[in-house]
Amino acid sequence: MTETAKRTLLPLLGHTRGKRSPLTCRLKCGNACAMPECNHSGNGYFRDIASAALTRRSALGLGAAAAVTIGVVGATPEAAQAAGRGRSGLSFTPIAPVPNTVDDLTVPEGFDWSPIIRWGDPLFADSPEFDPYNQTPESQAAQFGYNADYLDIIQDRGGRTGVLVNNHEYTNENLMFPAEQQGDLQRVARVAMAAHGMSVVEIARTRVGEPWSYVRGGARNRRITLSTPFAVDGPAAGSDLLKTKDDPTGTVVLGTQNNCAGGTTPWGTVLSGEENFNQYFKGNGSAEQKRYGISTEVPSRRWHEVDPRFDSSLPGYENEPNRFGWIVEIDPQDPASTPVKHTALGRFKHEGANVRVAEGGTVVAYSGDDERFDYLYKFVSAGTYVEGDRAHNMTLLSEGDLYVAKFTGDTAAEIDGSGRLPSDGAFDGSGEWLPLVVGGESKVEGMAVDEVLVHTRLAADKAGATKMDRPEDVEPSPRTGKVYVALTNNTQRGTAGKAGPDEANPRTQNRDGHVLELTERDNRADATEFDWNILLVAGDPAKSASTYFSGFPADRVSPISCPDNLAFDSEGNLWISTDGQPGTIGYDDGLFKVGLTGGNRGNVEQFLAVPQDAETCGPVIHDREGMVYVAVQHPGEDGSFEEPRSYFPDYVVETRQGEGEWSLSRPSVAQVFAVARGAEPEFPGAISDRPGQGRNQGKRRKNGERGPRYRGYRGKATPETKAAAKTAARAY
């Protein structure tokens, strides 16, 4: 690649902050930080808003309705543990931070790990075996997709079978294809389209508490790609803003893309957020498209040259970008079901959506818009949750009220951008949910309901929402109902011409991010007012004086930077996965446990670290069983097919690869499990070779010789593979 080509394709070369390499900035978010700021609204910031210190109200215990927020299909062990009964089985000694040049999945003493499923693993009985040198769109559509992100492990009754649900956010073509194939745009683009979307995969194990293996040919196995028809529902369905020449009804969309985080509903479906969809389209220059970061320049993947619907400058395709940026809902139990795009929840760069049931039974979904200076949203259903009525509950996200958050600080005048704690001893304040659509009517002057829902960012601008530092995952605690918001970072906060610091975003050039804790008034999920405080201001306390851990001694915490995805264990602890540490504090990204109550509040303990260049995604904490699950995304992202910077998860070099093994990196779902001292776990590829019963009859089979070996992988990364990864050339 010439220097001119590098500067054209990688405009952030030499200017990246956080973990982001210029190559990933291009592939993951379309060089968003190099683009003009999308939000040009004049919304107020904290220092411009009068301080309104309100009396704190004690959080009430959750009622019976709210307790169902952790429900999944069947009476699973994890459903019981999330209700808070008994004690956690996940005791560990925190690991030391891992330097950002180490290509290994590092876990605590007493634990081991293995992949459950990897990019390219065949899902169906007739799926072709993975062959990275001979990929086709058809083979990829029958195999596990690329770049695993949101993850859930949904157990069936009894806990020995279940389904794994996973998002596939985007593709790293430099790692997926040999150099001689990368000039074949038709092939590369079509395979990449098939590698996006979602996977549903049956899993099995010999007994509860043992590691899982995936079931090739499982009855519920499914791939959802950019060719899968989605139904559009809610108030904007059929709107002129969603109609195209291929869909004049505005009610059917082919596919989902750039799916980031998500959530599992109390009725057992999975929600997935369409995030950086803008980068796939060639824009037409409209003000609405500019607000969503859609450029008239040639998109990096050039999909518009392969499929005209990705060129919104063409007649008939002006509205195609409007058909992405939604929360989608899929039923993982029924592979024949039609997934849905919910317009009632608004359109923006959804990180994900997570559901809580209010005291009166209304369903509340929280979602963050992952962009610098964008907003936090809440949806409140018009209907109410009915225990056991799955068909009814699957309609609850189709109609309701949409709000956006406005924050006020208690000591706004004291915020100077240094991260110094205010005189009242906390970053805190109150807030309100500003109405966008209520009772089926627009509350935004000059905008109809469909305009509010399709151009939600513009509606929130007009409403006067508070600009935030990249709100990503938003998770309500199943134990307390408090809502936690991961604000990953915003290096433009307080720079020339940009918004200055405020009490909810208290640092200029915020490289490390922070986490907010939000308490709805009277702990009612459908309240229109809330109180908030900052749980932690991230960073390495040994290198930065601006960190804060809710009063917990900073010299006793694990350093943490760039919080991204959130989860909870049965004891109510918060777990945080990170995306950005290698470039901010010099360590591989990881997964961290954070105490929320008493003297342990703010105590950050690192549980694992992912390999070089990788991002930690989709944590699932089944602590009763001593198990943790993570999606490992883009390991070795800065390398190339020919010269990997990671060999995760198989860790074989080309001269030693066996049957079904490949000397390259493969995004995967990994499971971490407790082992007895000195034990070397061995477990099968499925329950048995015998056919399954009922719906699985004739379809259950082991994964075969080419599947993951499913033995303990701790120590599988050898000095040879680590050295090769460390010395590999970057692909830019």
Side-chain angles (χ1 to χ4, degrees):
M1 185 183 294
T2 66
E3 285 302 315
T4 300
K6 286 181 181 180
R7 293 295 173 186
T8 301
L9 296 175
L10 307 174
L12 292 175
L13 190 66
H15 299 283
T16 53
R17 294 284 187 174
K19 181 194 79 43
R20 292 276 69 89
S21 76
L23 189 59
T24 297
C25 289
R26 175 191 170 206
L27 296 175
K28 182 168 184 173
C29 58
N31 294 318
C33 291
M35 301 300 178
E37 182 182 337
C38 291
N39 191 346
H40 294 283
S41 69
N43 293 349
Y45 300 92
F46 281 80
R47 63 174 64 254
D48 303 321
I49 301 172
S51 176
L54 302 177
T55 303
R56 294 283 180 266
R57 302 185 182 186
S58 299
L60 302 177
L62 289 179
V68 303
T69 60
I70 45 74
V72 294
V73 178
T76 72
E78 299 312 317
Q81 80 161 30
R85 297 192 294 270
R87 295 180 59 82
S88 170
L90 196 65
S91 176
F92 67 94
T93 299
I95 67 169
V98 177
N100 60 7
T101 56
V102 174
D103 180 35
D104 199 358
L105 183 62
T106 306
V107 299
E109 290 297 325
F111 290 83
D112 207 332
W113 70 274
S114 69
I116 300 177
I117 191 166
R118 310 160 298 183
W119 164 52
D121 279 334
L123 298 189
F124 310 106
D126 58 353
S127 296
E129 300 292 342
F130 177 61
D131 181 352
Y133 289 93
N134 295 286
Q135 299 178 76
T136 67
E138 295 75 21
S139 63
Q140 177 62 89
Q143 298 165 342
F144 193 67
Y146 203 78
N147 270 344
D149 202 299
Y150 175 74
L151 169 69
D152 203 0
I153 304 291
I154 304 175
Q155 297 182 25
D156 298 327
R157 190 179 299 274
R160 292 194 300 139
T161 59
V163 291
L164 177 156
V165 184
N166 191 229
N167 289 350
H168 303 297
E169 185 177 7
Y170 72 101
T171 46
N172 291 76
E173 284 80 355
N174 57 304
L175 305 181
M176 295 173 66
F177 299 94
E180 65 268 17
Q181 296 180 10
Q182 292 186 20
D184 184 350
L185 180 60
Q186 283 286 338
R187 177 181 192 172
V188 169
R190 293 293 182 186
V191 171
M193 289 178 189
H196 281 65
M198 304 177 70
S199 291
V200 180
V201 188
E202 287 197 351
I203 52 177
R205 56 185 176 180
T206 54
R207 57 183 176 271
V208 173
E210 292 294 313
W212 297 93
S213 49
Y214 91 92
V215 181
R216 181 175 179 176
R220 290 171 286 183
N221 288 7
R222 184 180 191 182
R223 273 303 318 279
I224 294 172
T225 71
L226 272 163
S227 300
T228 304
F230 278 71
V232 181
D233 82 350
S239 165
D240 287 344
L241 296 172
L242 297 181
K243 295 177 180 177
T244 68
K245 65 182 299 182
D246 296 333
D247 174 30
T249 69
T251 59
V252 179
V253 177
L254 288 183
T256 185
Q257 64 183 1
N258 223 250
N259 300 71
C260 198
T264 300
T265 67
W267 48 93
T269 60
V270 170
L271 306 179
S272 176
E274 297 178 329
E275 192 188 25
N276 292 306
F277 64 92
N278 60 297
Q279 61 172 310
Y280 296 84
F281 293 94
K282 183 179 180 182
N284 57 31
S286 70
E288 291 82 7
Q289 287 195 356
K290 288 180 180 178
R291 181 63 180 90
Y292 281 82
I294 300 172
S295 173
T296 56
E297 296 181 1
V298 174
S300 63
R301 286 179 175 79
R302 298 165 55 199
W303 284 4
H304 68 294
E305 298 177 30
V306 175
D307 187 335
R309 67 178 172 137
F310 292 102
D311 189 345
S312 67
S313 69
L314 295 177
Y317 293 106
E318 297 89 346
N319 292 331
E320 190 67 30
N322 295 347
R323 294 148 65 84
F324 296 87
W326 304 101
I327 290 296
V328 304
E329 183 175 15
I330 70 164
D331 183 356
Q333 307 301 326
D334 182 3
S337 60
T338 300
V340 177
K341 297 200 176 193
H342 288 299
T343 66
L345 277 70
R347 171 178 164 268
F348 44 89
K349 290 187 179 180
H350 286 275
E351 172 75 11
N354 289 279
V355 167
R356 176 185 169 193
V357 179
E359 288 286 344
T362 56
V363 168
V364 178
Y366 298 93
S367 191
D369 186 349
D370 184 9
E371 184 99 48
R372 294 165 289 137
F373 304 115
D374 260 294
Y375 308 130
L376 175 66
Y377 294 85
K378 178 170 82 168
F379 168 84
V380 181
S381 68
T384 56
Y385 178 86
V386 178
E387 180 71 29
D389 191 342
R390 195 164 186 262
H392 163 76
N393 295 332
M394 289 176 68
T395 69
L396 292 177
L397 301 182
S398 302
E399 181 183 2
D401 303 333
L402 184 64
Y403 300 87
V404 66
K406 178 180 179 180
F407 292 77
T408 301
D410 279 357
T411 50
E414 298 183 26
I415 304 302
D416 59 7
S418 67
R420 185 182 301 110
L421 203 62
S423 58
D424 66 355
F427 299 105
D428 60 356
S430 59
E432 57 182 312
W433 293 106
L434 305 175
L436 300 178
V437 175
V438 175
E441 297 182 357
S442 169
K443 298 300 179 181
V444 181
E445 185 177 355
M447 299 183 74
V449 169
D450 63 337
E451 292 175 314
V452 171
L453 298 178
V454 174
H455 303 311
T456 308
R457 282 184 167 181
L458 292 166
D461 293 343
K462 288 188 173 185
T466 300
K467 298 180 178 181
M468 306 297 287
D469 284 354
R470 286 188 58 203
E472 295 215 38
D473 208 2
V474 186
E475 294 269 356
S477 166
R479 174 168 281 210
T480 67
K482 292 179 182 291
V483 179
Y484 294 84
V485 184
L487 296 150
T488 296
N489 54 41
N490 182 356
T491 58
Q492 295 191 15
R493 173 74 64 176
T495 59
K498 307 295 183 181
D502 54 50
E503 194 157 355
N505 306 277
R507 288 189 295 195
T508 57
Q509 297 181 287
N510 179 14
R511 295 187 65 191
D512 295 303
H514 54 290
V515 177
L516 278 174
E517 180 184 72
L518 186 152
T519 305
E520 301 277 20
R521 271 311 146 75
D522 299 321
N523 205 26
R524 292 189 58 87
D526 55 358
T528 57
E529 295 180 323
F530 58 87
D531 298 307
W532 64 270
N533 68 86
I534 292 182
L535 171 69
L536 62 87
V537 178
D540 185 348
K543 302 174 183 177
S544 172
S546 66
T547 58
Y548 168 71
F549 301 94
S550 289
F552 194 87
D555 60 351
R556 291 171 52 194
V557 304
S558 298
I560 182 174
S561 181
C562 303
D564 191 341
N565 297 141
L566 308 175
F568 295 92
D569 62 25
S570 67
E571 294 182 318
N573 297 298
L574 180 68
W575 290 69
I576 302 174
S577 65
T578 64
D579 174 22
Q581 291 195 155
T584 55
I585 58 176
Y587 300 123
D588 279 341
D589 277 310
L591 179 64
F592 302 78
K593 174 183 174 182
V594 184
L596 297 179
T597 59
N600 200 45
R601 179 176 172 83
N603 182 17
V604 179
E605 301 174 285
Q606 185 167 2
F607 179 75
L608 62 76
V610 294
Q612 175 173 260
D613 297 348
E615 169 187 349
T616 324
C617 297
V620 178
I621 315 301
H622 288 181
D623 53 314
R624 286 291 182 74
E625 299 180 356
M627 299 193 71
V628 170
Y629 309 88
V630 292
V632 180
Q633 189 179 108
H634 55 71
E637 65 182 345
D638 286 351
S640 63
F641 187 94
E642 288 76 16
E643 196 167 355
R645 278 175 52 86
S646 176
Y647 293 86
F648 173 86
D650 294 325
Y651 289 106
V652 293
V653 293
E654 188 172 7
T655 56
R656 299 185 185 183
Q657 63 189 34
E659 181 70 15
E661 295 182 325
W662 301 97
S663 182
L664 44 73
S665 63
R666 298 172 71 176
S668 305
V669 172
Q671 55 192 338
V672 182
F673 45 92
V675 293
R677 184 183 298 275
E680 295 184 4
E682 295 279 351
F683 43 102
I687 291 179
S688 72
D689 284 320
R690 294 174 295 176
Q693 301 298 314
R695 67 188 299 175
N696 294 321
Q697 189 170 3
K699 296 185 177 182
R700 190 176 299 281
R701 53 180 282 184
K702 288 187 178 182
N703 299 318
E705 291 302 316
R706 294 183 175 225
R709 296 297 184 257
Y710 291 108
R711 57 179 177 264
Y713 275 42
R714 182 168 184 153
K716 195 170 176 65
T718 65
E720 184 179 10
T721 60
K722 289 181 180 179
K726 189 173 184 178
T727 58
R730 297 182 186 271
Y732 56 85

